[in-house]
Amino acid sequence: MKAFIFTEALSTTGLGHLGRCTALAEILIEHDVDATIVLHKDDSIPNSSFSTSKVLVCNWKDFDVLNSFLLSHAMEIAYVDSYLADPLIYETIASSVQRLVCIDDNNRISYPNGSIILNPGFGGKFLNYDLKRNCVYTGIEFVLLRKPFRENFAFPKVNEEIRSILVTMGGTDSLNLVPRILEVLTKNFPNVRKEIVIGPAFDNIQLIEKSADNQTKLHRGLDAISMRNLMQSVDLAITAGGQTTYELAKTGTPMVVIETIENQEGNVAGFLEMGIDSVIRLDALSKLETLLRGYLFTLADSQKRLEFCKLLTPFKNRETDFLFI
């Protein structure tokens, strides 16, 4: 069986789509499906950002490009994960395949009638999908995780004191949050290691370096294994509210979640519903420093971090058992 996964990785969209589509491709390949990612990217995203065996780069959201592509590639199933594609693009792909799976975060558009909607995480619980038009699958059992995060491993030991803090804001830092976060960390946790992940589309590296201290290390170009190992090596993480929250949850890493874009609202709401309240909403970013400081001091208590890890237990042994093929 041949499957094609249409997605994008742009300076304006970050790497969230590509990360979960890479995970999807890995899962399909493991089940003997011939899976190919069809990727619209710009120069901000290096080719090293994807490691799956088959990636075709083109602007598939252009009708002429898409029609040419569909004529030259036979496919039985297509997955589409996009913030930008026009509804007619989805309809065009749907007319060429036996099954279409639309990966969605926020009920962005009306998807083709009869197609499957996959909202991989908490988000779909809070959205009013038309269940007469589409089958909808959502919840943590449908989270798409890269292979190193799907392996079974123990949660790390909770240390008495915080020795290291991870900051990961995704592929881009369009709101310039990392320098503000670093200033809080260097002022309030001068002796703690600060592990900062620099995304490929960051354009504020000089500001980040200016805010760093001698306990700060910048990480670039991390693959999935390196990212997992880094997550498991720290005591606490500060993260944007997208796909990375699920990777941190799977590794048992206590975190402060910062909503950085509206389509993270469902993820954030889901963690809040679980009892994880160390969340900074998008409309509260003007008070970022004050709120962050409060959550960090709370989670400096090892007992609070231990309680946090217990809340993450539902993520521990979850397995991917859906493919829609």
Side-chain angles (χ1 to χ4, degrees):
M1 176 176 284
K2 286 190 175 182
F4 285 76
I5 305 166
F6 295 84
T7 192
E8 60 216 10
L10 307 165
S11 60
T12 54
T13 62
L15 290 176
H17 289 310
L18 181 57
R20 65 189 181 190
C21 286
T22 298
L24 173 61
E26 291 172 347
I27 295 165
L28 290 169
I29 290 167
E30 289 167 12
H31 287 78
D32 298 319
V33 176
D34 184 1
T36 301
I37 292 178
V38 186
L39 179 67
H40 179 205
K41 66 181 287 292
D42 58 23
D43 292 339
S44 70
I45 309 298
N47 291 337
S48 59
S49 295
F50 43 86
S51 56
T52 192
S53 56
K54 290 186 180 180
V55 177
L56 300 176
V57 177
C58 68
N59 182 7
W60 55 270
K61 293 189 285 288
D62 179 282
F63 280 100
D64 290 336
V65 172
L66 177 62
N67 284 320
S68 176
F69 186 91
L70 294 174
L71 285 172
S72 58
H73 294 83
M75 63 186 80
E76 288 119 310
I77 183 169
Y79 300 80
V80 183
D81 187 358
S82 175
Y83 289 159
L84 305 173
D86 186 277
L88 287 177
I89 292 290
Y90 286 84
E91 297 288 352
T92 301
I93 295 173
S95 67
S96 300
V97 296
Q98 297 172 18
R99 182 171 298 166
L100 173 65
V101 180
C102 307
I103 303 176
D104 175 76
D105 291 309
N106 57 352
N107 203 8
R108 184 177 70 87
I109 60 173
S110 179
Y111 294 102
N113 190 29
S115 63
I116 292 170
I117 294 176
L118 170 61
N119 191 315
F122 291 121
K125 296 170 57 181
F126 307 98
L127 296 171
N128 187 28
Y129 288 113
D130 184 349
L131 300 181
K132 294 181 180 179
R133 182 179 177 86
N134 305 100
C135 290
V136 178
Y137 296 86
T138 192
I140 63 172
E141 64 269 34
F142 296 104
V143 171
L144 293 165
L145 294 175
R146 295 176 290 175
K147 186 174 182 179
F149 294 95
R150 287 185 279 115
E151 296 172 356
N152 290 323
F153 43 79
F155 281 4
K157 185 187 80 170
V158 174
N159 293 316
E160 187 67 28
E161 296 181 351
I162 290 181
R163 304 170 185 173
S164 55
I165 297 175
L166 170 67
V167 179
T168 173
M169 288 289 118
T172 183
D173 184 23
S174 58
L175 300 179
N176 198 38
L177 298 181
V178 174
R180 294 172 63 186
I181 293 167
L182 254 180
E183 287 179 7
V184 173
L185 295 180
T186 54
K187 182 176 180 180
N188 296 278
F189 297 88
N191 298 319
V192 170
R193 290 197 333 271
K194 300 139 189 97
E195 311 284 1
I196 313 299
V197 177
I198 302 296
F202 274 39
D203 59 5
N204 58 347
I205 295 175
Q206 287 186 338
L207 288 174
I208 293 171
E209 291 173 338
K210 186 177 179 180
S211 301
D213 60 14
N214 60 9
Q215 292 290 318
T216 301
K217 182 176 181 180
L218 306 186
H219 299 268
R220 295 176 173 87
L222 297 182
D223 60 19
I225 293 175
S226 300
M227 191 68 177
R228 182 200 67 189
N229 293 343
L230 180 58
M231 288 178 178
Q232 290 208 290
S233 75
V234 301
D235 298 294
L236 179 64
I238 302 167
T239 179
Q243 177 73 9
T244 306
T245 57
Y246 296 111
E247 295 181 344
L248 287 163
K250 184 62 167 63
T251 59
T253 309
M255 58 184 138
V256 178
V257 180
I258 302 174
E259 184 182 1
T260 60
I261 192 170
E262 289 180 356
N263 64 22
Q264 295 172 355
E265 184 177 1
N267 283 355
V268 168
F271 280 104
L272 284 166
E273 190 174 75
M274 282 186 70
I276 294 170
D277 58 4
S278 51
V279 169
I280 301 174
R281 302 304 294 257
L282 187 62
D283 59 6
L285 288 182
S286 61
K287 300 180 287 186
L288 172 68
E289 288 81 359
T290 300
L291 293 171
L292 179 59
R293 191 181 304 111
Y295 288 135
L296 291 174
F297 283 135
T298 297
L299 290 169
D301 183 338
S302 60
Q303 187 60 37
K304 293 292 186 183
R305 280 180 281 120
L306 187 61
E307 292 170 4
F308 198 116
C309 289
K310 289 179 180 178
L311 291 173
L312 298 177
T313 302
F315 292 91
K316 191 172 184 179
N317 296 315
R318 59 158 301 282
E319 295 182 1
T320 302
D321 56 2
F322 63 94
L323 293 172
F324 310 116
I325 56 176

